[in-house]
Amino acid sequence: MKTDWQTALYHTPLWLLYALLTVSGIFIVFAFCIRKTTFGQKFWLITKPCLDQSNRLKVISLILVLFLLVLLEVRISVLNTYFYNGLYSSLQYGDANAFWFFASINALLVIFKIIHYLLDYLMTQVFEIRWLEKLNHEMLSRWLSHKNYYRIKYEKELPDNIDQRIEQDAREFITGTVEMVRGVINSLVSIIEFTIILWGLSGILAIFGLHIPKGVVYFIYLFIITATVISVWIGSPLVRLNFEKEHFSGDYRYSLIRVRDHAESIAFYHGETREFAHLTDRFNTIIKNRWLIVKRMLGLDGFNTGVTQIAMILPLILQAPRFFAGQIQLGDMHQTVQAFNRLMRALSFFRLFYEDFTLYQARLNRLAGFIHKLHELETTEIHTPIECANYVALHDFGFKDQYGNILAQHLNIYLKHGDTLLIQGASGKGKTTLLKTIAGIYPFETIGKAECPCNAVILFLPQRPYMPQGSLREAICYPNINPHHPELIQTMKDCRLEKYIHALDNENDWQVILSPGELQRVAFIRILLSKPDVVFLDETSSALDEPTEALLYQLIKTRLPHMIILSVGHRGTLQPFHNKYLTLE
């Protein structure tokens, strides 16, 4: 007995080195092989952008440290079985000195386990946080670059709940990956180590008249593998159900956000009953899916609980005949129970991890689908028929919709510095679309030739200007106007928004607080502060009264006389402020 624990202790450093090299080699081979599978391709699609030359060495070093900590935990558990064997055997023989010796060693091992746990937790969190920072930066940059956040809404297969994919799915994907890899390594190494221990402790197993050498080990493997197969069969529908769970929950949250964002319109329509019915329908879909998961989990958890309870007494029953025959000691019995439970946990890893793995697959699919869609957008040619010039011009110009149908054609205009164009026409005739094509953000095919200043300051202002989160000062100066612009306060007075000067540094949801007319006054403040060369106004004065509209148009024409203005509007009162006109029929 003394030789066993001493040998295990003395060989620990060499064992850790050998195990680390072996696990690393197997991990590399496995990663290379799995890349050929659908699962591996999706995983690599997500993780590849996070690995670059600047951080590759750090990532590899951190992974090796995590591997070493996992192996160290297994080795501590192995040593623990030997020390407890000595502790219980000393009780059986009444050897007080041996008892206190092994008790002291176990106390030291407890202290070492605490230190190991804290270090393991710290390094795991460092790895996950660093990875999350990289992945979040990658997804945000790709989502916002090339106007993908805008172009993606025109896709036929629109990824749902993008906010959930960027925040929740990314975070839980990383945590799930770390847990899965650690669990697999821990389980495989534990299987090898504790099978060796059980092999040494087991003898001949007599069952139903058969005498099987090392039968305890065979019986344990047969028991747990059978339980795993049955468990996987019971829980297989959970992959689809958990994927639908994430999808339905995301849809429900999105519907709730829409009610919040459009609260005023719903209140004017008295649409509470309709919204309640819609939200209830979305919620009932979640509940229906949850009941299906509950029914499946009743069978899975019930079976797993039964297996766990049987496994608690099974090793004692299998070894009891040898103990009563005096072939093994009390310490051997306790070591058998420890080794069996650890082996069972290792062999049962996939069975017990199955539910989490189904959720993991769902998140993997959602993230891979989102990143794949971004990749498609990045590799798809953007239709930007704009040529550089010192003016704005259209030559026999037109544009098509996403199906190739012509929406407008044979448009011709020429705007030099100081010209102002008013675009009018019936609703749905493509007035806003025309502004998008000239601004270079229309994602579909165009006809003819368009020219626009390329190195000039261009400002596009929609009917309801966007106000980002933050202080009113930062919101007005969005996106790149100096928040402490020396003309800000005077410009607010000129645009009749002086009542909010005292609240410039107050943080609030200004998109909701300001009325539509006040939001449009903010748009004119942005024009006066940014002093663009070309400005696109898409019904940016529709919520203003006619005197205020006239005041603001006259203000920007007087202060920025060389600016090119392209306006979309229905009012006839806009005509005096423009010198050129285009009617879409």
Side-chain angles (χ1 to χ4, degrees):
M1 178 181 65
K2 181 177 181 181
T3 304
D4 290 339
W5 72 262
Q6 285 182 330
T7 302
L9 181 61
Y10 294 155
H11 287 175
T12 294
L14 185 61
W15 181 90
L16 288 173
L17 177 61
Y18 176 76
L20 180 61
L21 293 175
T22 303
V23 167
S24 300
I26 294 175
F27 180 79
I28 293 172
V29 173
F30 179 77
F32 179 79
C33 294
I34 204 172
R35 280 185 60 183
K36 307 297 182 181
T37 66
T38 303
F39 176 91
Q41 291 171 353
K42 292 179 179 178
F43 185 87
W44 186 241
L45 180 67
I46 299 169
T47 56
K48 182 181 178 180
C50 300
L51 296 172
D52 51 48
Q53 295 295 336
S54 62
N55 72 337
R56 189 165 297 176
L57 184 60
K58 293 180 180 178
V59 171
I60 293 174
S61 300
L62 198 50
I63 290 174
L64 290 176
V65 170
L66 291 176
F67 283 0
L68 182 61
L69 290 170
V70 173
L71 296 172
L72 189 57
E73 191 276 331
V74 175
R75 193 59 179 178
I76 290 172
S77 299
V78 169
L79 294 174
N80 195 58
T81 65
Y82 283 106
F83 295 152
Y84 267 100
N85 189 324
L87 190 69
Y88 277 85
S89 295
S90 63
L91 285 174
Q92 180 179 1
Y93 292 110
D95 189 342
N97 291 332
F99 173 81
W100 291 115
F101 173 78
F102 284 110
S104 300
I105 290 180
N106 277 289
L108 291 174
L109 194 62
V110 169
I111 296 174
F112 190 80
K113 288 172 68 175
I114 294 173
I115 297 173
H116 169 269
Y117 170 79
L118 296 176
L119 183 60
D120 183 53
Y121 175 78
L122 174 62
M123 298 307 297
T124 301
Q125 293 304 310
V126 168
F127 182 77
E128 291 186 12
I129 291 171
R130 296 277 175 82
W131 189 1
L132 182 59
E133 288 175 340
K134 280 284 185 181
L135 182 57
N136 181 75
H137 178 270
E138 177 68 20
M139 289 195 297
L140 281 183
S141 61
R142 293 182 66 181
W143 184 49
L144 295 175
S145 65
H146 303 98
K147 291 186 170 50
N148 287 335
Y149 63 92
Y150 170 75
R151 297 168 61 205
I152 203 169
K153 71 178 185 177
Y154 290 100
E155 291 296 304
K156 296 179 181 179
E157 297 180 2
L158 178 65
D160 61 298
N161 309 310
I162 291 175
D163 57 323
Q164 179 185 354
R165 300 187 187 215
I166 293 177
E167 193 277 327
Q168 180 181 343
D169 287 342
R171 171 171 44 84
E172 295 183 354
F173 164 77
I174 290 172
T175 301
T177 300
V178 173
E179 290 179 352
M180 182 173 62
V181 174
R182 287 169 57 91
V184 169
I185 294 174
N186 190 296
S187 297
L188 291 176
V189 177
S190 295
I191 288 172
I192 296 171
E193 287 297 303
F194 290 99
T195 298
I196 294 173
I197 293 175
L198 278 177
W199 190 268
L201 291 171
S202 63
I204 297 176
L205 176 66
I207 182 171
F208 301 119
L210 297 175
H211 293 78
I212 308 172
K214 308 295 181 182
V216 172
V217 178
Y218 299 131
F219 188 89
I220 289 171
Y221 270 87
L222 179 63
F223 173 78
I224 297 176
I225 291 174
T226 302
T228 300
V229 171
I230 296 174
S231 178
V232 170
W233 175 73
I234 295 174
S236 57
L238 288 171
V239 175
R240 174 182 56 83
L241 292 174
N242 279 312
F243 182 86
E244 292 175 348
K245 172 187 172 184
E246 298 291 326
H247 173 72
F248 296 149
S249 297
D251 286 347
Y252 183 55
R253 286 195 301 271
Y254 179 72
S255 298
L256 291 172
I257 292 172
R258 282 184 57 83
V259 172
R260 182 197 67 188
D261 291 345
H262 301 278
E264 185 176 36
S265 298
I266 295 171
F268 276 124
Y269 280 114
H270 301 289
E272 296 84 6
T273 303
R274 178 68 177 273
E275 295 299 326
F276 180 80
H278 175 72
L279 292 172
T280 302
D281 183 60
R282 288 291 175 94
F283 182 74
N284 287 338
T285 303
I286 295 175
I287 295 300
K288 182 179 178 181
N289 172 264
R290 185 167 179 176
W291 276 120
L292 293 174
I293 293 175
V294 167
K295 292 176 182 178
R296 183 60 56 173
M297 286 303 301
L298 283 174
L300 185 61
D301 285 347
F303 179 77
N304 286 339
T305 302
V307 170
T308 302
Q309 294 300 315
I310 293 172
M312 293 176 65
I313 194 173
L314 186 61
L316 292 175
I317 295 175
L318 294 175
Q319 287 284 63
R322 297 188 65 226
F323 176 75
F324 292 128
Q327 297 175 6
I328 57 175
Q329 303 166 357
L330 181 62
D332 295 328
M333 289 288 287
H334 190 273
Q335 189 176 17
T336 300
V337 173
Q338 284 184 299
F340 174 84
N341 288 333
R342 188 58 188 259
L343 180 61
M344 186 196 72
R345 189 170 64 184
L347 288 171
S348 302
F349 168 75
F350 186 76
R351 175 175 61 87
L352 298 175
F353 191 70
Y354 190 75
E355 181 187 1
D356 292 333
F357 185 72
T358 60
L359 291 172
Y360 178 82
Q361 275 193 306
R363 296 187 186 102
L364 177 75
N365 292 336
R366 289 168 60 83
L367 277 177
F370 174 57
I371 294 177
H372 180 70
K373 181 58 67 176
L374 292 179
H375 180 69
E376 284 184 355
L377 292 172
E378 290 167 350
T379 54
T380 301
E381 181 182 358
I382 301 176
H383 295 281
T384 53
I386 309 302
E387 296 184 11
C388 294
N390 293 322
Y391 47 83
V392 175
L394 299 179
H395 305 281
D396 204 21
F397 191 74
F399 46 87
K400 301 180 181 180
D401 63 13
Q402 62 194 93
Y403 304 105
N405 301 315
I406 297 176
L407 299 179
Q409 57 184 334
H410 307 309
L411 302 177
N412 294 277
I413 61 172
Y414 177 82
L415 303 174
K416 63 182 183 302
H417 291 293
D419 281 341
T420 54
L421 172 70
L422 177 61
I423 304 171
Q424 293 186 309
S427 297
K429 294 301 181 181
K431 300 185 296 297
T432 299
T433 302
L434 177 59
L435 291 189
K436 292 178 181 178
T437 58
I438 299 175
I441 63 172
Y442 187 65
F444 305 118
E445 185 179 356
T446 57
I447 308 169
K449 179 182 177 182
E451 295 176 289
C452 190
C454 296
N455 297 320
V457 178
I458 298 177
L459 189 62
F460 187 102
L461 296 168
Q463 185 175 8
R464 186 177 176 85
Y466 172 64
M467 299 287 282
Q469 294 176 326
S471 67
L472 179 59
R473 181 188 302 275
E474 295 170 337
I476 291 176
C477 296
Y478 179 84
N480 49 21
I481 302 172
N482 179 11
H484 299 282
H485 197 291
E487 300 176 13
L488 174 59
I489 293 177
Q490 183 58 48
T491 307
M492 290 179 68
K493 294 178 181 178
D494 295 339
C495 294
R496 296 183 178 179
L497 211 60
E498 63 273 4
K499 72 176 183 178
Y500 289 107
I501 291 176
H502 73 281
L504 273 173
D505 295 308
N506 294 348
E507 293 194 8
N508 217 321
D509 190 355
W510 295 107
Q511 186 80 41
V512 175
I513 292 175
L514 299 183
S515 68
E518 290 170 336
L519 288 173
Q520 292 188 344
R521 278 176 251 175
V522 169
F524 282 88
I525 293 174
R526 290 172 178 169
I527 295 174
L528 292 169
L529 294 181
S530 61
K531 298 178 174 57
D533 299 293
V534 183
V535 64
F536 298 87
L537 301 175
D538 185 11
E539 298 193 56
T540 314
S541 61
S542 59
L544 298 171
D545 58 86
E546 292 181 4
T548 303
E549 178 186 65
L551 170 71
L552 296 178
Y553 261 95
Q554 189 61 48
L555 195 61
I556 63 174
K557 283 178 62 65
T558 301
R559 294 192 182 178
L560 303 170
H562 300 293
M563 180 175 64
I564 298 175
I565 301 175
L566 295 92
S567 300
V568 166
H570 294 281
R571 290 178 178 175
T573 54
L574 290 173
Q575 293 186 1
F577 305 103
H578 299 80
N579 67 339
K580 296 190 176 184
Y581 309 95
L582 175 65
T583 301
L584 297 182
E585 299 178 353

